[in-house]
Amino acid sequence: MKFKFVIPILVTASLLTAGCQATTSSAPKKSNVTESSASPTVGTAKRNPILLYSVVDLKIPLTSIPYYSRREVSVLPETTFKQYDEGHMPTLGDSFTCAVIKTSNLTSEDIVNVNPSEAKNTNTITTKEGILIKRIDKNTFIDGDERKAEYDITVPDVGEYLISAEKPAGTDIFFITKISLVLQG
């Protein structure tokens, strides 16, 4: 299993003081989880993105790909893919639900109240907490099927998260593939 879960100490402290809940304690024990002491560029107008999470390989069996959901990293059982194919849990195939709702631990638990159907009508949503959600990708459809999505989620007093989601071959379920943060500065 190849993926990275990186949260520098500086970022963790910043996120926790802003009321967010990013941790590494729930990562699988037998995994390729790494931590980094990298820090953002201080004193510049534009800070470098800090990689918080990354799935490196989507070409492994579906039941081996790490699935990120509200700070928990696990693998989905085969039954999840079968149930989805039977019409159950349709939100797993929605890029907005994957990118925004599954990462709500990074922003606020209240973000789960955002309506995914509202996101289909616009590329920008602002929550009552002032969180700005903007779809930033273009041309991510293959033969009329959405396969990838990227969202920029700006959290007041924290910064901007770049969330990437993708459907691996063999499924229509979206997986979080990358989470980066540019601290407000």
Side-chain angles (χ1 to χ4, degrees):
M1 182 179 333
K2 294 182 180 180
F3 70 102
K4 294 181 183 178
F5 193 61
V6 181
I7 298 183
I9 294 170
L10 175 63
V11 174
T12 303
S14 297
L15 295 175
L16 293 175
T17 59
C20 297
Q21 303 171 357
T23 67
T24 58
S25 62
S26 50
K29 298 216 186 273
K30 293 182 181 180
S31 66
N32 222 359
V33 176
T34 61
E35 290 189 45
S36 170
S37 61
S39 63
T41 305
V42 178
T44 62
K46 180 71 174 171
R47 293 176 179 230
N48 293 326
I50 302 164
L51 180 64
L52 301 177
Y53 176 82
S54 177
V55 175
V56 178
D57 188 7
L58 291 177
K59 294 179 181 171
I60 58 178
L62 295 174
T63 55
S64 298
I65 300 172
Y67 190 82
Y68 184 94
S69 180
R70 297 184 184 121
R71 91 170 168 250
E72 300 288 327
V73 179
S74 60
V75 293
L76 297 177
E78 184 66 36
T79 56
T80 301
F81 299 100
K82 288 179 182 176
Q83 289 172 344
Y84 179 83
D85 290 341
E86 293 169 357
H88 304 287
M89 303 175 293
T91 56
L92 293 178
D94 180 76
S95 67
F96 180 87
T97 300
C98 182
V100 177
I101 306 301
K102 296 294 183 183
T103 64
S104 64
N105 64 291
L106 301 172
T107 56
S108 126
E109 291 302 320
D110 293 335
I111 202 169
V112 298
N113 295 323
V114 174
N115 185 351
S117 63
E118 182 182 342
K120 294 192 184 306
N121 300 325
T122 180
N123 285 330
T124 304
I125 296 173
T126 303
T127 69
K128 65 182 180 181
E129 297 85 12
I131 298 168
L132 177 67
I133 303 164
K134 183 168 69 171
R135 185 164 181 150
I136 58 172
D137 58 344
K138 294 180 176 51
N139 301 323
T140 57
F141 290 80
I142 298 171
D143 297 327
D145 182 27
E146 180 184 34
R147 301 305 299 175
K148 295 181 181 183
E150 289 185 354
Y151 290 86
D152 181 21
I153 303 174
T154 303
V155 181
D157 300 324
V158 176
E160 297 177 37
Y161 289 98
L162 175 65
I163 310 294
S164 299
E166 187 172 342
K167 293 178 185 176
T171 188
D172 284 328
I173 294 175
F174 273 98
F175 284 71
I176 299 294
T177 55
K178 187 176 180 181
I179 303 171
S180 297
L181 171 64
V182 176
L183 289 172
Q184 183 176 334

